[in-house]
Amino acid sequence: MAHDHHHHDTHDPAHEQGHGHGHGHTHDHADIDWAEMAPHLEAQAELYTPLYRQAATWLAREVTDPGLVVDVGSGPGVVSCLFADTFPGARVVAADGAAPLLERARARAERLGFGDRFGTLAGDLPGALSELDYPADLMWASQSLHHLPDQRAALAALGGHLAPGGTLAILEGGLPARFLPRDMGIGRPGLQARIRAAEEDAFAEMRADLPDSVAETENWPAMLTAAGLKHTGTRSFLLDLPAPVSDAARDYVATSLSRLRERIGESLAADDRATLDRLLDPADEAGVHRRQDLFVLVAHTVYTAVRPV
């Protein structure tokens, strides 16, 4: 479900840019050039792969020998291919609303040797899942449901495409990404906390502006239960990339902050905008392109539920 994500009370603003995962519902992003965005989404998902691998390992203990795994809102297929690696006996389908991203997913699967058991499904989600040949044993939806007007109805729709006893795993919430010390030597201390507060307001507006939006207490186990599924587990997974970071992590931070500047910059105080502009200036020694105390620390939460037999 397409979103300038990465994603509520615990959505990750840095990841509210389409974290390479969760594209299919283009409520207000119909003008996004997904072919242009694809390399950035791919790089971000690759950076987060240690976190996704932890989640996949956990799911492999919960779901043994699935025949069909569906990645709902797959983006360019980084996690889809991780599932193909985790479940060598499974067929994997990457489902997304953006065809250019699915082209990347197919190419990635071929490159990694999964092409013979890897498929793609293009269309608006979750409706497009009706084109699946048979029900899924494992379905994964990462930071996409909160961009749909009726989240409970979406969960029920996803559950309807599970085989009896099949598992739905949704990644929603957790702890937002942190990149910088509270006091980073420029501007007022606590910049990221204030950015976060602005993000929360922007997210609430996004939810309210969705056509036919249904207000929902973000109690995912309760929503899964209300959708007719049996909640079976909740686990959070950590991505901890301490300073000094790799070039890939530095690029991710710069891209994330740049998108935040575009989206919520005007809601920040003038001095915070000035600090953010310094952080994004490649020539500034205090900017994220140069400073040595940059890090990436984030936690994502996964909820699992099964379709009753």
Side-chain angles (χ1 to χ4, degrees):
M1 285 106 209
H3 48 279
D4 252 359
H5 225 329
H6 328 166
H7 357 263
H8 43 197
D9 69 7
T10 49
H11 72 289
D12 175 358
H15 226 50
E16 262 317 311
Q17 47 182 299
H19 104 225
H21 223 59
H23 311 278
H25 179 75
T26 52
H27 52 82
D28 59 350
H29 302 285
D31 56 343
I32 290 178
D33 184 338
W34 291 116
E36 181 183 344
M37 281 287 288
H40 302 292
L41 302 180
E42 208 165 65
Q44 181 173 317
E46 288 170 351
L47 188 72
Y48 275 64
T49 289
L51 183 155
Y52 297 134
R53 193 173 294 281
Q54 294 173 57
T57 300
W58 177 58
L59 289 172
R61 293 195 292 267
E62 306 289 314
V63 184
T64 55
D65 300 322
L68 175 63
V69 177
V70 180
D71 184 356
V72 182
S74 65
V78 175
V79 179
S80 313
C81 288
L82 177 60
F83 282 130
D85 183 52
T86 303
F87 299 105
R91 174 167 178 77
V92 175
V93 171
D96 202 282
L101 299 183
L102 292 178
E103 291 172 14
R104 300 282 288 230
R106 277 192 294 271
R108 187 181 193 88
E110 291 288 348
R111 192 165 66 247
L112 295 175
F114 305 134
D116 60 338
R117 54 188 181 88
F118 190 93
T120 58
L121 180 58
D124 288 337
L125 299 169
L129 297 178
S130 61
E131 297 176 33
L132 290 171
D133 293 334
Y134 45 91
D137 301 295
L138 173 62
M139 188 170 288
W140 167 266
S142 175
Q143 292 180 314
S144 51
L145 287 164
H146 63 254
H147 285 270
L148 295 176
D150 190 336
Q151 298 167 100
R152 190 180 303 195
L155 287 172
L158 294 180
H161 295 291
L162 287 173
T167 294
L168 172 62
I170 61 168
L171 188 156
E172 289 285 351
L175 296 174
R178 298 290 303 226
F179 309 136
L180 295 157
R182 183 192 65 86
D183 190 338
M184 55 189 170
I186 59 172
R188 278 188 293 144
L191 174 65
Q192 276 206 269
R194 293 188 295 279
I195 289 176
R196 177 66 184 165
E199 266 287 301
E200 293 293 355
D201 290 342
F203 184 87
E205 290 177 15
M206 182 279 290
R207 285 287 316 160
D209 289 346
L210 289 175
D212 303 316
S213 180
V214 177
E216 194 78 62
T217 299
E218 288 170 353
N219 179 342
W220 291 100
M223 278 195 274
L224 287 162
T225 301
L229 303 172
K230 182 180 186 299
H231 174 237
T232 51
T234 302
R235 281 281 301 274
S236 293
F237 303 95
L238 187 71
L239 180 69
D240 180 13
L241 306 177
V245 295
S246 66
D247 289 344
R250 192 176 294 277
D251 289 346
Y252 160 68
V253 171
T255 300
S256 297
L257 290 179
S258 177
R259 293 189 183 284
L260 284 166
R261 177 66 174 88
E262 292 172 10
R263 288 172 42 235
I264 53 96
E266 294 311 308
S267 63
L268 297 173
D271 61 335
D272 282 342
R273 284 199 302 274
T275 301
L276 199 47
D277 288 342
R278 281 196 66 185
L279 287 171
L280 291 169
D281 183 355
D284 196 317
E285 287 292 339
V288 297
H289 298 85
R290 301 189 177 206
R291 58 188 308 138
Q292 294 303 302
D293 58 357
L294 212 60
F295 60 89
V296 178
L297 183 63
V298 61
H300 285 327
T301 300
V302 178
Y303 302 88
T304 57
V306 298
R307 179 175 182 175
V309 176

